[in-house]
Amino acid sequence: MAATNPSVFLLMVNGQVESAKGLEEGISQITSKSQDVRRALVWNFPIDVTFKSTNPYGWPQIVLSVYGPDMFGNDVVRGYGAVHVPFSPGRHKRTIPMFVPESTSKLQKFTSWFMGRRPEYTDPKVLAQGEGREVTRVRSQGFVTLLFNVVTKDMRKLGYDTGPADTHGIPGPSLPQGISG
Amino acid sequence: MAEVHVIGQIIGATGFSESSLFCKWGIHTGAAWKLLSGVREGQTQVDTPQVGDMAYWSHPIDLHFATKGLQGWPRLHLQVWSQDSFGRCQLEGYGFCHVPSSPGTHQLDCSTWRPLGSWREQLARAFVGGGPQLLHADTIYSGADRYRLHTAAGGTVRLELSLLLRHFDRYGVEC
């Protein structure tokens, strides 16, 4: 049976949002900072998605928004971050920086801290594109680690070369750092 | 026609003397290259790091080029500026690097430099701010007329760029 020429390629991604370090406060959904010296935040949140496309332009990105309660108990945004899904098949680990939008004037900063209404993006998708960012001011704080497994189908048949898989040296679904064995 | 996808991020910058930084970036290509999708230039947000000295932008870059030749391989040029609490902007460095030519994900560290003026201008910059800037931005990525410049080193911009190449093997190009 002759193989037909494909017109689309498939991208299948699975993985997890692993851990965060360095964020100001530690409560999110069901996670608090651990009591030991690591002070790590672990979500272990699964990601499992498949995409279909004819063109790598607009390659998928994961956009993260992290929220937490402030001193008065309101849920405020603690960080935004975005990263492209890796391109080559295999296992990949990405640690991404998180940042928070900031008001320009000190009075506005005090008012938003007091009222519990901090500046946030109305649509976090703005982080996945570059336009319109030149007027925003942000403060970067904290990192989030993500683990990806990527499988692609028919990219090579369509003529795309994504380069070597860069997965050597990445250990298995890992224990948070600090625990040996 | 062969196609090149440049997809990645301007991650951030480190080693600059000021801390509220933003970056203006652009991609310059030769005449044989045509941009099919994506924006060729942009500007990141202003970031003030709370921990450590690295400013993080995570600015996405997604470009799709079609090309008839290898000359004029894309060059990414950058201008790093700082913004103070009054909203004034000051140049911190110019830099450029060629987009990598082999497929895969690459971590790039782009060094920057800034023009030094006379000792009067350097003194004024230390007290009041400002300082000389290039009149034509293409001096950043071209070699002509550079002998007139006297510059000092700035910090480093970190980028992560991934290259996807299409149909390069059809034309016998090895990379």
Coordinates of all heavy atoms in Angstrom, one line a residue, chain A residues 50-144:
Chain A
T50 N -2.6 17.6 22.3 CA -2.1 17.3 20.9 C -2.5 18.4 20.0 O -3.7 18.8 20.0 CB -2.7 15.9 20.5 OG1 -2.3 14.9 21.4 CG2 -2.1 15.5 19.1
F51 N -1.6 18.8 19.2 CA -1.9 19.9 18.2 C -1.7 19.4 16.8 O -0.9 18.5 16.5 CB -1.0 21.1 18.4 CG -1.1 21.8 19.7 CD1 -0.2 21.4 20.7 CD2 -2.0 22.7 19.9 CE1 -0.2 22.1 21.9 CE2 -2.1 23.3 21.2 CZ -1.2 23.0 22.2
K52 N -2.4 20.0 15.8 CA -2.3 19.7 14.4 C -2.1 20.9 13.7 O -2.7 21.9 13.9 CB -3.6 19.0 14.0 CG -3.6 18.5 12.6 CD -4.8 17.6 12.3 CE -6.1 18.4 12.1 NZ -7.2 17.6 11.7
S53 N -1.2 20.9 12.7 CA -0.9 22.2 12.0 C -0.3 21.9 10.7 O 0.3 20.8 10.4 CB 0.0 23.1 12.8 OG 0.3 24.2 12.1
T54 N -0.3 22.9 9.8 CA 0.4 22.8 8.5 C 1.7 23.6 8.5 O 2.5 23.6 7.6 CB -0.5 23.3 7.3 OG1 -0.9 24.6 7.7 CG2 -1.7 22.4 7.1
N55 N 1.9 24.5 9.6 CA 2.9 25.5 9.5 C 3.4 25.7 11.0 O 2.6 25.9 11.9 CB 2.3 26.8 9.0 CG 3.3 27.9 8.8 OD1 4.4 27.7 9.1 ND2 2.8 28.9 8.2
P56 N 4.7 25.7 11.2 CA 5.2 25.9 12.5 C 5.0 27.3 13.0 O 5.3 27.6 14.2 CB 6.7 25.5 12.4 CG 6.8 24.7 11.2 CD 5.8 25.1 10.3
Y57 N 4.7 28.2 12.2 CA 4.5 29.6 12.7 C 3.3 29.6 13.7 O 2.3 29.0 13.5 CB 4.1 30.6 11.5 CG 3.8 31.9 12.0 CD1 4.8 32.7 12.5 CD2 2.5 32.4 12.0 CE1 4.6 34.0 13.0 CE2 2.3 33.7 12.4 CZ 3.3 34.5 12.9 OH 3.0 35.8 13.4
G58 N 3.6 30.3 14.9 CA 2.5 30.2 15.9 C 2.7 29.0 16.8 O 1.7 28.6 17.3
W59 N 3.9 28.5 16.9 CA 4.1 27.3 17.7 C 3.5 27.5 19.1 O 3.7 28.5 19.7 CB 5.6 27.0 17.8 CG 6.0 25.7 18.3 CD1 6.3 25.3 19.5 CD2 6.2 24.5 17.5 NE1 6.6 24.0 19.6 CE2 6.6 23.5 18.3 CE3 6.0 24.2 16.1 CZ2 6.8 22.2 17.9 CZ3 6.2 22.9 15.7 CH2 6.6 21.9 16.6
P60 N 2.9 26.4 19.7 CA 2.2 26.6 21.0 C 3.2 27.1 22.1 O 4.3 26.7 22.1 CB 1.7 25.3 21.3 CG 1.9 24.4 20.2 CD 2.7 25.1 19.1
Q61 N 2.6 27.9 22.9 CA 3.3 28.4 24.1 C 2.4 28.1 25.3 O 1.2 28.1 25.3 CB 3.5 29.9 24.1 CG 4.4 30.4 23.0 CD 4.6 31.9 23.0 OE1 5.0 32.4 24.0 NE2 4.4 32.5 21.9
I62 N 3.1 27.8 26.4 CA 2.4 27.6 27.7 C 2.5 28.9 28.4 O 3.6 29.5 28.6 CB 3.0 26.5 28.5 CG1 2.8 25.2 27.9 CG2 2.5 26.5 29.9 CD1 2.7 24.1 28.8
V63 N 1.3 29.5 28.8 CA 1.3 30.7 29.6 C 0.9 30.4 31.0 O -0.2 29.8 31.2 CB 0.3 31.8 29.0 CG1 0.2 33.0 29.8 CG2 0.8 32.1 27.6
L64 N 1.6 30.8 32.0 CA 1.3 30.5 33.4 C 0.9 31.7 34.1 O 1.6 32.8 34.0 CB 2.5 29.9 34.1 CG 3.0 28.5 33.7 CD1 4.3 28.2 34.4 CD2 1.9 27.5 34.0
S65 N -0.1 31.7 34.9 CA -0.5 32.8 35.9 C -0.5 32.2 37.2 O -1.3 31.2 37.5 CB -1.8 33.4 35.5 OG -2.0 33.6 34.2
V66 N 0.2 32.7 38.2 CA 0.2 32.2 39.5 C -0.4 33.2 40.4 O -0.1 34.4 40.4 CB 1.7 32.0 40.0 CG1 1.7 31.5 41.4 CG2 2.4 31.0 39.1
Y67 N -1.4 32.7 41.2 CA -2.1 33.6 42.2 C -1.9 33.2 43.6 O -1.6 32.0 43.9 CB -3.6 33.6 41.9 CG -4.0 34.1 40.5 CD1 -4.0 33.3 39.4 CD2 -4.3 35.5 40.4 CE1 -4.3 33.8 38.2 CE2 -4.6 36.0 39.2 CZ -4.6 35.2 38.1 OH -5.0 35.7 36.8
G68 N -2.1 34.1 44.5 CA -1.9 33.7 45.9 C -2.6 34.8 46.8 O -2.9 35.9 46.3
P69 N -2.9 34.5 48.0 CA -3.6 35.5 48.9 C -2.6 36.5 49.4 O -1.4 36.1 49.7 CB -4.2 34.6 50.0 CG -3.3 33.4 50.1 CD -2.8 33.2 48.7
D70 N -3.0 37.7 49.5 CA -2.2 38.7 50.1 C -2.5 38.8 51.6 O -3.2 38.0 52.2 CB -2.3 40.1 49.4 CG -3.7 40.7 49.6 OD1 -4.5 40.0 50.2 OD2 -3.9 41.8 49.2
M71 N -2.0 39.9 52.2 CA -2.1 40.0 53.7 C -3.6 40.1 54.1 O -3.9 39.7 55.2 CB -1.4 41.3 54.1 CG -0.9 41.3 55.5 SD 0.1 42.7 55.8 CE -1.1 43.9 56.1
F72 N -4.4 40.6 53.2 CA -5.8 40.8 53.6 C -6.7 39.7 53.2 O -7.9 39.7 53.4 CB -6.3 42.1 53.0 CG -5.5 43.3 53.5 CD1 -4.7 43.9 52.6 CD2 -5.6 43.8 54.7 CE1 -3.9 45.0 52.9 CE2 -4.9 44.9 55.1 CZ -4.0 45.5 54.2
G73 N -6.1 38.7 52.6 CA -6.9 37.5 52.1 C -7.4 37.6 50.7 O -8.1 36.6 50.3
N74 N -7.1 38.6 50.0 CA -7.6 38.7 48.6 C -6.6 37.9 47.7 O -5.4 37.9 48.0 CB -7.6 40.1 48.1 CG -8.4 41.0 49.0 OD1 -9.5 40.8 49.3 ND2 -7.7 42.1 49.5
D75 N -7.2 37.3 46.6 CA -6.3 36.6 45.7 C -5.7 37.6 44.7 O -6.4 38.3 44.0 CB -7.2 35.6 44.9 CG -7.0 34.2 45.4 OD1 -6.0 34.0 46.1 OD2 -7.8 33.4 45.1
V76 N -4.4 37.8 44.8 CA -3.7 38.7 43.9 C -2.8 37.9 43.0 O -2.4 36.8 43.3 CB -3.0 39.8 44.6 CG1 -3.9 40.6 45.4 CG2 -1.9 39.2 45.5
V77 N -2.4 38.5 41.9 CA -1.5 37.8 40.9 C -0.1 37.8 41.5 O 0.4 38.9 42.0 CB -1.6 38.4 39.5 CG1 -1.1 39.8 39.5 CG2 -0.9 37.5 38.6
R78 N 0.6 36.7 41.4 CA 1.9 36.6 42.0 C 3.0 36.5 40.9 O 4.2 36.6 41.1 CB 2.1 35.4 42.9 CG 1.3 35.6 44.2 CD 1.9 36.7 45.0 NE 1.2 36.9 46.2 CZ 1.3 38.0 47.0 NH1 2.0 39.0 46.5 NH2 0.7 38.1 48.1
G79 N 2.6 36.1 39.7 CA 3.5 36.0 38.6 C 2.9 35.5 37.3 O 1.9 34.7 37.3
Y80 N 3.4 36.0 36.2 CA 3.1 35.5 34.9 C 4.3 35.0 34.2 O 5.4 35.6 34.4 CB 2.5 36.6 34.0 CG 1.2 37.2 34.4 CD1 1.1 38.4 35.0 CD2 0.0 36.5 34.2 CE1 -0.1 39.0 35.3 CE2 -1.2 37.0 34.6 CZ -1.3 38.3 35.1 OH -2.5 38.8 35.5
G81 N 4.2 34.0 33.4 CA 5.4 33.5 32.6 C 4.9 32.8 31.4 O 3.8 32.3 31.3
A82 N 5.8 32.7 30.4 CA 5.4 32.0 29.2 C 6.6 31.4 28.6 O 7.7 31.9 28.7 CB 4.8 33.0 28.2
V83 N 6.4 30.2 27.9 CA 7.5 29.6 27.3 C 7.0 28.8 26.1 O 5.8 28.3 26.1 CB 8.3 28.6 28.3 CG1 7.5 27.4 28.7 CG2 9.6 28.2 27.7
H84 N 7.7 28.6 25.0 CA 7.3 27.8 23.9 C 7.4 26.3 24.3 O 8.4 25.9 25.0 CB 8.2 28.0 22.7 CG 8.0 29.3 22.0 ND1 7.0 29.6 21.1 CD2 8.7 30.5 22.0 CE1 7.0 30.8 20.7 NE2 8.1 31.4 21.2
V85 N 6.5 25.5 23.8 CA 6.6 24.1 23.9 C 7.9 23.7 23.1 O 8.1 24.2 22.0 CB 5.4 23.4 23.3 CG1 5.6 22.0 23.1 CG2 4.2 23.6 24.2
P86 N 8.7 22.8 23.6 CA 10.0 22.5 22.9 C 9.7 21.9 21.5 O 8.7 21.3 21.3 CB 10.7 21.5 23.8 CG 10.1 21.7 25.2 CD 8.7 22.1 24.9
F87 N 10.7 22.0 20.7 CA 10.5 21.7 19.2 C 10.9 20.3 18.9 O 10.3 19.7 18.0 CB 11.3 22.7 18.4 CG 10.9 24.1 18.7 CD1 11.6 24.8 19.7 CD2 9.9 24.7 18.0 CE1 11.2 26.0 20.0 CE2 9.5 25.9 18.3 CZ 10.2 26.6 19.3
S88 N 11.9 19.8 19.5 CA 12.4 18.5 19.1 C 11.8 17.4 20.0 O 11.6 17.6 21.2 CB 13.9 18.5 19.1 OG 14.4 19.0 20.3
P89 N 11.6 16.2 19.4 CA 11.0 15.1 20.2 C 12.0 14.7 21.4 O 13.2 14.8 21.3 CB 10.9 14.0 19.2 CG 11.0 14.6 17.9 CD 11.8 15.8 18.0
G90 N 11.4 14.3 22.5 CA 12.2 13.9 23.6 C 11.7 14.5 24.9 O 10.7 15.1 25.0
R91 N 12.5 14.4 25.9 CA 12.2 15.0 27.2 C 12.9 16.3 27.4 O 14.1 16.4 27.1 CB 12.7 14.0 28.4 CG 11.7 12.9 28.6 CD 12.3 11.9 29.6 NE 12.9 12.6 30.8 CZ 12.3 13.1 31.8 NH1 11.0 13.0 31.9 NH2 12.9 13.6 32.8
H92 N 12.3 17.3 27.9 CA 12.9 18.6 28.1 C 12.5 19.2 29.4 O 11.3 19.0 29.9 CB 12.4 19.6 27.0 CG 12.6 19.1 25.6 ND1 13.7 19.4 24.9 CD2 11.8 18.3 24.8 CE1 13.6 18.8 23.7 NE2 12.5 18.1 23.6
K93 N 13.4 19.9 30.0 CA 13.1 20.6 31.3 C 13.3 22.1 31.1 O 14.3 22.5 30.5 CB 14.0 20.1 32.4 CG 13.7 20.5 33.7 CD 14.6 19.9 34.7 CE 14.1 20.1 36.1 NZ 14.9 19.3 37.1
R94 N 12.3 22.9 31.5 CA 12.4 24.3 31.3 C 12.1 25.0 32.6 O 11.1 24.7 33.2 CB 11.4 24.8 30.2 CG 11.6 24.3 28.8 CD 12.7 25.1 28.1 NE 12.8 24.8 26.7 CZ 13.7 23.8 26.3 NH1 14.4 23.2 27.1 NH2 13.7 23.5 25.0
T95 N 13.0 25.9 33.0 CA 12.7 26.7 34.2 C 12.5 28.2 33.7 O 13.3 28.7 33.1 CB 13.9 26.7 35.1 OG1 14.2 25.4 35.5 CG2 13.6 27.5 36.4
I96 N 11.3 28.7 34.0 CA 10.9 30.0 33.4 C 10.8 31.0 34.5 O 10.3 30.8 35.6 CB 9.7 29.9 32.5 CG1 8.4 29.5 33.4 CG2 9.8 28.9 31.4 CD1 7.2 29.6 32.6
P97 N 11.2 32.3 34.2 CA 11.1 33.3 35.2 C 9.7 33.9 35.2 O 9.0 33.8 34.2 CB 12.1 34.4 34.7 CG 12.2 34.2 33.2 CD 12.0 32.7 33.0
M98 N 9.2 34.3 36.3 CA 7.9 34.9 36.5 C 8.0 36.3 36.8 O 8.9 36.8 37.5 CB 7.1 34.2 37.6 CG 7.1 32.7 37.5 SD 6.1 32.1 36.1 CE 4.5 32.2 36.8
F99 N 7.0 37.1 36.3 CA 7.0 38.5 36.6 C 5.6 39.1 36.8 O 4.6 38.4 36.4 CB 7.7 39.4 35.5 CG 7.2 39.1 34.1 CD1 6.0 39.7 33.7 CD2 7.8 38.2 33.3 CE1 5.5 39.4 32.4 CE2 7.4 38.0 32.0 CZ 6.2 38.5 31.6
V100 N 5.6 40.2 37.5 CA 4.3 40.8 38.0 C 4.2 42.2 37.4 O 5.2 42.9 37.5 CB 4.2 40.8 39.5 CG1 3.0 41.5 40.0 CG2 4.3 39.4 40.1
P101 N 3.0 42.6 36.8 CA 2.9 44.0 36.4 C 3.0 44.9 37.6 O 2.6 44.6 38.7 CB 1.6 44.1 35.7 CG 1.1 42.7 35.5 CD 1.8 41.8 36.5
E102 N 3.6 46.1 37.3 CA 3.8 47.1 38.4 C 3.2 48.4 38.0 O 3.2 48.8 36.9 CB 5.4 47.2 38.5 CG 5.8 47.8 39.7 CD 7.4 47.9 39.7 OE1 7.9 48.3 38.7 OE2 7.9 47.5 40.8
S103 N 2.7 49.1 39.0 CA 2.2 50.4 38.8 C 3.3 51.4 38.7 O 4.4 51.2 39.2 CB 1.3 50.9 39.9 OG 0.5 49.8 40.4
T104 N 3.1 52.5 38.0 CA 4.2 53.5 37.8 C 4.4 54.4 39.0 O 5.5 54.7 39.4 CB 4.0 54.3 36.6 OG1 2.6 54.5 36.3 CG2 4.6 53.6 35.4
S105 N 3.3 54.8 39.6 CA 3.5 55.8 40.7 C 3.4 55.1 42.1 O 2.7 54.1 42.3 CB 2.4 56.9 40.6 OG 1.1 56.4 41.0
K106 N 4.1 55.7 43.0 CA 4.1 55.2 44.4 C 2.7 55.2 45.0 O 2.3 54.3 45.8 CB 5.1 55.9 45.3 CG 6.5 55.7 44.9 CD 7.4 56.1 46.1 CE 8.9 55.9 45.9 NZ 9.4 55.7 44.6
L107 N 1.9 56.2 44.7 CA 0.6 56.3 45.3 C -0.3 55.2 44.8 O -1.0 54.6 45.6 CB -0.1 57.7 44.9 CG -1.5 57.9 45.4 CD1 -1.5 57.9 47.0 CD2 -2.1 59.1 44.9
Q108 N -0.1 54.9 43.5 CA -0.9 53.8 42.9 C -0.5 52.5 43.5 O -1.3 51.6 43.7 CB -0.7 53.8 41.4 CG -1.9 53.3 40.7 CD -1.8 53.5 39.2 OE1 -0.8 54.0 38.7 NE2 -2.7 53.0 38.5
K109 N 0.8 52.3 43.8 CA 1.3 51.1 44.4 C 0.7 50.9 45.8 O 0.2 49.8 46.2 CB 2.8 51.1 44.5 CG 3.5 50.8 43.2 CD 5.0 50.6 43.5 CE 5.7 50.9 42.2 NZ 7.1 51.1 42.2
F110 N 0.6 52.0 46.6 CA 0.1 51.9 47.9 C -1.4 51.6 47.9 O -1.9 50.7 48.6 CB 0.4 53.2 48.7 CG -0.3 53.2 50.0 CD1 0.2 52.4 51.1 CD2 -1.4 53.9 50.3 CE1 -0.4 52.4 52.3 CE2 -2.1 53.9 51.5 CZ -1.5 53.1 52.5
T111 N -2.1 52.3 47.0 CA -3.6 52.1 46.9 C -3.9 50.6 46.5 O -4.8 50.0 47.0 CB -4.2 53.0 45.8 OG1 -3.6 54.3 46.0 CG2 -5.7 53.1 46.0
S112 N -3.1 50.1 45.5 CA -3.5 48.8 45.1 C -3.1 47.7 46.1 O -3.8 46.7 46.3 CB -2.8 48.4 43.7 OG -1.4 48.6 43.9
W113 N -2.0 48.0 46.9 CA -1.7 47.1 48.0 C -2.8 47.1 49.0 O -3.2 46.1 49.6 CB -0.4 47.5 48.6 CG 0.0 46.7 49.9 CD1 0.5 45.5 50.0 CD2 -0.2 47.2 51.2 NE1 0.7 45.2 51.3 CE2 0.2 46.2 52.1 CE3 -0.8 48.4 51.8 CZ2 0.2 46.3 53.5 CZ3 -0.8 48.5 53.2 CH2 -0.3 47.4 54.0
F114 N -3.3 48.3 49.3 CA -4.3 48.5 50.4 C -5.6 47.9 50.0 O -6.3 47.2 50.8 CB -4.4 50.0 50.7 CG -5.2 50.3 51.9 CD1 -4.8 49.9 53.1 CD2 -6.4 50.9 51.8 CE1 -5.5 50.1 54.3 CE2 -7.2 51.2 52.9 CZ -6.7 50.8 54.2
M115 N -6.0 48.1 48.7 CA -7.4 47.7 48.3 C -7.4 46.2 47.8 O -8.4 45.7 47.6 CB -7.8 48.5 47.1 CG -7.9 50.0 47.4 SD -9.3 50.3 48.5 CE -10.7 49.9 47.5
G116 N -6.2 45.6 47.7 CA -6.1 44.3 47.2 C -6.4 44.1 45.7 O -6.6 43.0 45.2
R117 N -6.4 45.2 45.0 CA -6.6 45.1 43.5 C -5.3 45.5 42.8 O -5.0 46.7 42.6 CB -7.7 46.0 43.1 CG -9.0 45.3 43.3 CD -10.2 46.1 42.7 NE -11.0 46.6 43.7 CZ -11.8 47.6 43.6 NH1 -11.7 48.3 42.5 NH2 -12.5 48.0 44.6
R118 N -4.4 44.5 42.6 CA -3.2 44.8 41.9 C -3.3 44.9 40.4 O -4.3 44.3 39.9 CB -2.2 43.7 42.3 CG -2.1 43.3 43.7 CD -1.0 44.0 44.5 NE -1.1 43.6 45.9 CZ -0.2 42.9 46.5 NH1 0.8 42.4 45.9 NH2 -0.3 42.7 47.8
P119 N -2.4 45.5 39.7 CA -2.5 45.5 38.3 C -2.3 44.1 37.7 O -1.4 43.4 38.2 CB -1.4 46.4 37.8 CG -0.5 46.7 39.0 CD -1.3 46.4 40.2
E120 N -3.2 43.7 36.9 CA -3.0 42.4 36.2 C -3.5 42.5 34.8 O -4.2 43.4 34.4 CB -3.8 41.3 37.0 CG -5.2 41.6 37.3 CD -5.9 40.5 38.2 OE1 -6.2 39.4 37.6 OE2 -6.0 40.6 39.4
Y121 N -3.1 41.5 34.0 CA -3.5 41.5 32.6 C -4.9 41.0 32.4 O -5.3 40.0 33.0 CB -2.5 40.5 31.8 CG -1.1 41.0 31.7 CD1 -0.1 40.3 32.3 CD2 -0.8 42.1 31.0 CE1 1.2 40.7 32.2 CE2 0.5 42.6 30.9 CZ 1.5 41.8 31.5 OH 2.8 42.2 31.4
T122 N -5.7 41.7 31.6 CA -7.1 41.2 31.4 C -7.1 39.9 30.7 O -7.9 39.1 30.8 CB -7.9 42.3 30.7 OG1 -7.1 42.7 29.5 CG2 -8.2 43.5 31.5
D123 N -6.1 39.8 29.8 CA -6.0 38.5 29.0 C -4.6 38.1 29.0 O -3.7 38.7 28.4 CB -6.5 38.8 27.6 CG -6.6 37.5 26.7 OD1 -6.3 36.5 27.3 OD2 -6.9 37.6 25.6
P124 N -4.3 37.0 29.8 CA -2.9 36.6 29.9 C -2.2 36.2 28.5 O -1.0 36.0 28.4 CB -2.9 35.4 30.8 CG -4.1 35.5 31.6 CD -5.1 36.2 30.7
K125 N -3.1 36.1 27.5 CA -2.5 35.7 26.2 C -1.6 36.8 25.6 O -0.8 36.6 24.7 CB -3.6 35.5 25.2 CG -4.2 34.1 25.3 CD -5.1 33.7 24.1 CE -6.4 34.3 24.3 NZ -7.5 33.6 23.6
V126 N -1.7 38.0 26.2 CA -0.8 39.0 25.7 C 0.7 38.7 26.0 O 1.6 39.2 25.3 CB -1.2 40.4 26.4 CG1 -0.7 40.4 27.9 CG2 -0.5 41.6 25.7
L127 N 0.9 37.8 26.9 CA 2.3 37.3 27.2 C 2.8 36.4 26.1 O 4.0 36.3 26.0 CB 2.3 36.5 28.5 CG 2.0 37.3 29.7 CD1 1.6 36.3 30.8 CD2 3.3 38.0 30.1
A128 N 2.0 35.9 25.3 CA 2.4 35.0 24.3 C 2.8 35.7 23.0 O 3.3 35.1 22.1 CB 1.4 33.9 24.0
Q129 N 2.5 37.0 23.0 CA 2.9 37.8 21.8 C 3.7 39.0 22.2 O 3.7 39.4 23.3 CB 1.7 38.2 21.0 CG 0.8 39.2 21.8 CD -0.6 39.1 21.4 OE1 -1.1 38.1 20.9 NE2 -1.3 40.2 21.5
G130 N 4.5 39.5 21.3 CA 5.4 40.5 21.6 C 4.9 41.9 21.5 O 5.4 42.8 22.0
E131 N 3.8 42.1 20.7 CA 3.3 43.4 20.5 C 2.6 44.0 21.7 O 2.0 43.3 22.5 CB 2.3 43.5 19.3 CG 2.8 43.0 18.0 CD 2.6 41.5 17.8 OE1 1.6 41.0 18.3 OE2 3.5 40.8 17.3
G132 N 2.7 45.3 21.9 CA 2.0 46.0 22.9 C 2.6 45.9 24.3 O 2.1 46.3 25.3
R133 N 3.9 45.3 24.4 CA 4.5 45.2 25.7 C 5.3 46.4 26.0 O 5.8 46.5 27.2 CB 5.4 44.0 25.7 CG 4.7 42.7 25.7 CD 5.7 41.6 25.6 NE 5.3 40.5 26.4 CZ 6.1 39.5 26.7 NH1 7.3 39.5 26.4 NH2 5.7 38.5 27.4
E134 N 5.5 47.3 25.1 CA 6.5 48.3 25.3 C 6.0 49.3 26.3 O 6.8 50.1 26.8 CB 6.9 49.0 24.0 CG 5.8 49.5 23.2 CD 5.4 48.6 22.1 OE1 6.0 47.5 22.0 OE2 4.5 48.9 21.4
V135 N 4.8 49.3 26.7 CA 4.3 50.3 27.6 C 4.1 49.8 29.0 O 3.7 50.5 29.9 CB 2.9 50.9 27.2 CG1 3.1 51.7 25.9 CG2 1.9 49.8 26.9
T136 N 4.4 48.5 29.2 CA 4.2 47.9 30.5 C 5.5 47.9 31.3 O 6.6 47.7 30.8 CB 3.7 46.5 30.4 OG1 4.6 45.7 29.6 CG2 2.3 46.5 29.8
R137 N 5.3 48.0 32.7 CA 6.5 47.8 33.6 C 6.2 46.6 34.4 O 5.1 46.4 34.9 CB 6.5 49.0 34.5 CG 7.2 50.2 34.0 CD 7.6 51.0 35.1 NE 7.6 52.4 34.8 CZ 8.6 53.2 35.3 NH1 9.6 52.7 36.0 NH2 8.6 54.5 35.0
V138 N 7.2 45.8 34.6 CA 7.0 44.6 35.4 C 8.2 44.4 36.4 O 9.2 45.1 36.3 CB 6.9 43.3 34.6 CG1 5.8 43.4 33.6 CG2 8.2 43.1 33.8
R139 N 7.9 43.5 37.4 CA 8.9 43.2 38.4 C 9.1 41.7 38.3 O 8.1 41.0 38.3 CB 8.3 43.5 39.7 CG 9.1 44.2 40.7 CD 8.3 44.7 41.9 NE 7.5 43.6 42.5 CZ 6.2 43.8 42.9 NH1 5.7 45.0 42.7 NH2 5.6 42.9 43.4
S140 N 10.3 41.2 38.1 CA 10.5 39.8 38.0 C 10.8 39.2 39.3 O 11.6 39.7 40.1 CB 11.6 39.4 37.0 OG 12.8 40.1 37.3
Q141 N 10.2 38.1 39.7 CA 10.4 37.4 40.9 C 10.0 36.0 40.8 O 9.0 35.6 40.3 CB 9.6 38.0 42.0 CG 8.1 38.1 41.7 CD 7.3 39.0 42.6 OE1 7.8 40.0 43.1 NE2 6.1 38.6 42.9
G142 N 10.9 35.1 41.1 CA 10.5 33.6 41.2 C 10.7 32.9 39.8 O 10.8 33.5 38.8
F143 N 10.7 31.6 39.9 CA 10.8 30.7 38.8 C 9.9 29.5 38.9 O 9.5 29.1 40.0 CB 12.2 30.1 38.7 CG 13.3 31.2 38.5 CD1 13.9 31.7 39.7 CD2 13.7 31.6 37.3 CE1 14.8 32.7 39.6 CE2 14.7 32.6 37.2 CZ 15.2 33.2 38.3
V144 N 9.4 29.0 37.7 CA 8.6 27.8 37.7 C 9.3 26.8 36.8 O 9.8 27.2 35.7 CB 7.2 28.1 37.3 CG1 6.4 26.8 37.1 CG2 6.4 29.0 38.2

